């Protein structure tokens, strides 16, 4: 059994994907080929924003957004404590101070009350300038944007939506990657919409920001002249082959894969409802793209033993995430290391992610649930 069955997906989409790759190879337009533009137009339309700019990976996407806003030394960037390292790494790489904020125990996402407290503390200290909130759509579920956007307005902060895991999710029909002043996603193979290597994208409605990012992701070029460099940028492009692979994968994602992961989540919820595990909560009006299906083990359960007994039954499981951001060694001795994040600390000891992908069958989900219930007894 696979944790995320990319081989099965390839079996289903093989003819289309192979044809796409073959087209790129025969045309030899490996960089910035027509498939890149085609994909960008499709993704912008799906998300409901004016501009989609693809780039080399989801980490670069975050960095490019922060560069566009000129975020750097002396700036405070608020980031959930429970997330993948990039969300805090990119602001730190730009010289800013990530300020880690605790999350909601039931949704795993940024807790708006804690966010407001953290902003007030930074203002009180008077050392850093609050500039950006990075809200992460963790495990596929959009963050609480209703409240987060109000807080950003109140304190005049920019909102950066880290939708690396969130592509395809929505709140009352408004799509993930459309909430931030800038939003980003990742096409890392295991993400909800993955390519066959690294890839990422940036979404925005702002024409000037879009033009600036198109420039800095190709060495600070001026317009379409890449040998006239008017600012310091980087080299961050999506390969044509990856764009070509994503075109049929995106079609399958929008046509049925997103529905099918939601079916799988329902099967898990049903099979585990009396298990004593805390199950992931999706609030009214929210749709998750289920990058992960993550349960919380009961207090005192031995997670290593549970994983080992699942593994014995051929069932893979993962721990996302084992360490709060503020405890990562990279932040030791900095302002970022001081954070009061009790919920994240608890989640890190209890969470367990189960196999999740659109090609799961109800039978497999039932078997995983049965073995998990046995393992926690
Ligand atoms: C995967 C991920 C990223 C980084 O994406 P890459 O494409 O791997 O660079 C950033 N943020 C979150 C929340 C992620 O899960």
């Amino acid at each position: 059994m696979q944790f995320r069955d990319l081989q099965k997906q390839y079996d289903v989409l093989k003819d289309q994907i192979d044809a796409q790759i073959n087209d790129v190879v025969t045309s030899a337009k490996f960089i910035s080929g027509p498939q890149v533009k085609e994909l960008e137009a499709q993704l912008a339309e799906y998300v409901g924003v004016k501009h989609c700019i693809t780039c080399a990976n989801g980490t670069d996407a975050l960095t490019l957004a922060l560069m566009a806003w000129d975020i750097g030394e002396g700036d405070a960037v608020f980031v959930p404590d429970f997330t993948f390292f990039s969300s805090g790494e990119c602001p730190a790489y730009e010289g800013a101070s990530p300020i880690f904020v605790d999350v909601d125990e039931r949704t795993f996402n940024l807790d708006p009350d804690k966010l407001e407290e953290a902003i007030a503390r930074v203002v009180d200290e008077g050392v850093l300038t609050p500039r950006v909130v990075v809200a992460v759509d963790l495990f596929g579920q959009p963050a609480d944007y209703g409240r987060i956007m109000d807080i950003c307005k109140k304190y005049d902060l920019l909102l950066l939506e880290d939708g690396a895991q969130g592509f395809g999710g929505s709140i009352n029909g408004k799509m993930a990657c459309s909430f931030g002043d800038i939003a980003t996603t990742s096409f890392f193979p295991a993400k909800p919409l993955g390519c066959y290597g690294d890839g990422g994208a940036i979404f925005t409605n702002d024409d000037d920001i879009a033009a600036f990012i198109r420039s800095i992701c190709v060495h600070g070029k001026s317009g379409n002249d890449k040998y006239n460099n008017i600012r310091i940028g980087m080299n961050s492009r999506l390969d044509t082959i990856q764009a070509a692979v994503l075109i049929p994968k995106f079609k399958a994602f929008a046509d049925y894969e997103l529905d099918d992961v939601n079916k799988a989540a329902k099967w898990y919820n049903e099979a585990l409802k009396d298990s004593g595990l805390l199950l992931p909560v999706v609030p009214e009006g929210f749709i998750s793209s289920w990058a992960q299906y993550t349960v919380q083990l009961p207090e005192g359960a031995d997670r290593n033993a549970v994983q080992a007994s699942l593994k014995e039954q051929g069932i893979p499981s993962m721990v996302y995430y084992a360490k709060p951001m503020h405890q990562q060694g990279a932040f030791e001795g900095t302002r970022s290391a001081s954070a009061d994040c009790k919920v994240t600390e608890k989640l890190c000891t209890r969470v367990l992610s189960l196999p999740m992908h659109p090609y799961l069958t109800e039978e497999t989900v039932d078997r995983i649930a049965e073995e998990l219930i046995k393992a926690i007894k």
Side-chain angles (χ1 to χ4, degrees):
M1 190 189 301
Q2 301 286 314
F3 187 74
R4 189 164 187 95
D5 200 341
L6 297 173
Q7 276 144 344
K8 172 73 193 174
Q9 185 194 45
Y10 178 61
D11 285 347
V12 172
L13 301 175
K14 183 178 188 318
D15 290 350
Q16 299 161 60
I17 291 174
D18 289 356
Q20 286 284 341
I21 293 173
N22 192 54
D23 280 354
V24 178
V25 175
T26 51
S27 75
K29 292 190 174 122
F30 299 111
I31 301 293
S32 308
Q35 291 87 343
V36 176
K37 279 270 166 288
E38 184 183 340
L39 178 73
E40 288 177 344
Q42 289 179 8
L43 298 184
E45 192 195 346
Y46 178 78
V47 167
V49 298
K50 211 161 154 192
H51 304 281
C52 168
I53 304 146
T54 53
C55 65
N57 56 69
T59 305
D60 279 5
L62 289 168
T63 297
L64 288 160
L66 295 165
M67 285 169 76
W69 288 332
D70 198 23
I71 302 303
E73 210 180 323
D75 294 334
V77 177
F78 300 88
V79 178
D81 200 38
F82 193 57
T83 182
F84 179 66
F85 192 59
S86 291
S87 315
E89 178 185 31
C90 300
Y93 187 78
E94 291 303 304
S97 297
I99 304 294
F100 295 114
V101 179
D102 215 355
V103 297
D104 182 300
E105 181 169 24
R106 305 309 303 275
T107 64
F108 307 115
N109 277 331
L110 200 57
D111 179 330
D113 293 326
K114 303 277 177 59
L115 172 61
E116 211 162 353
E117 284 169 31
I119 297 167
R121 209 171 310 132
V122 168
V123 170
D124 253 15
E125 288 168 5
V127 179
L128 298 167
T129 311
R131 294 285 310 276
V132 178
V133 174
V134 176
V136 178
D137 301 334
L138 203 74
F139 302 154
Q141 175 155 299
D144 184 357
Y145 287 110
R147 293 201 51 205
I148 293 169
M149 287 160 93
D150 285 346
I151 293 170
C152 286
K153 243 182 235 127
K154 181 170 165 189
Y155 295 93
D156 197 20
L157 301 176
L158 294 159
L159 177 58
L160 175 52
E161 176 181 1
D162 180 352
Q165 302 181 16
F167 190 83
S170 57
I171 306 176
N172 296 320
K174 186 169 161 59
M175 298 305 289
C177 297
S178 74
F179 294 99
D181 296 299
I182 303 179
T184 62
T185 197
S186 163
F187 305 123
F188 183 84
K191 307 280 174 166
L193 178 61
C195 62
Y196 285 168
D198 279 308
I202 295 142
F203 299 88
T204 186
N205 282 316
D206 187 314
D207 297 343
D208 295 336
I209 292 280
F212 188 90
I213 291 175
R214 285 214 182 273
S215 163
I216 56 174
C217 68
V218 186
H219 309 290
K221 66 176 180 175
S222 167
N224 281 326
D225 184 355
K226 72 173 172 171
Y227 300 107
N228 181 21
N229 309 91
I230 55 172
R231 49 179 77 89
I232 302 299
M234 50 206 265
N235 174 20
S236 186
R237 290 177 290 230
L238 184 71
D239 292 352
T240 312
I241 285 186
Q242 298 303 342
V245 165
L246 279 164
I247 288 169
K249 290 202 19 152
F250 170 58
K251 186 172 188 320
F253 179 84
D255 284 354
Y256 61 86
E257 287 187 352
L258 182 59
D259 289 341
D260 288 352
V261 282
N262 275 281
K263 271 184 214 154
K266 279 214 182 87
W267 295 331
Y268 270 126
N269 289 343
E270 183 58 29
L272 292 170
K273 69 176 192 285
D274 301 318
S275 62
L277 298 161
L278 272 184
L279 305 183
V281 171
V282 180
E284 186 72 33
F286 283 58
I287 290 178
S288 175
S289 58
W290 296 104
Q292 305 295 340
Y293 184 90
T294 302
V295 300
Q296 295 173 55
L297 301 184
E299 199 179 342
D302 179 346
R303 186 169 58 192
N304 288 335
V306 169
Q307 284 196 278
S309 87
L310 287 174
K311 192 173 172 200
E312 233 165 72
Q313 300 301 320
I315 299 169
S317 64
M318 304 289 274
V319 174
Y320 298 120
Y321 297 90
K323 204 180 225 190
M325 290 291 280
H326 77 275
Q327 290 177 6
Q328 294 287 358
F331 298 116
E332 210 178 304
T334 71
R335 170 65 179 83
S336 304
S338 76
D340 181 20
C341 298
K342 297 282 181 300
V343 173
T344 298
E345 285 168 17
K346 188 169 96 179
L347 287 173
C348 287
T349 65
R350 298 223 190 138
V351 287
L352 187 67
S353 299
L354 304 175
M356 188 51 154
H357 57 81
Y359 300 92
L360 274 173
T361 63
E362 187 166 10
E363 205 184 347
T364 304
V365 168
D366 285 346
R367 193 168 86 74
I368 296 166
E370 198 179 306
E371 293 300 337
L372 177 58
I373 290 167
K374 265 195 242 163
I376 57 177
K377 286 226 171 96

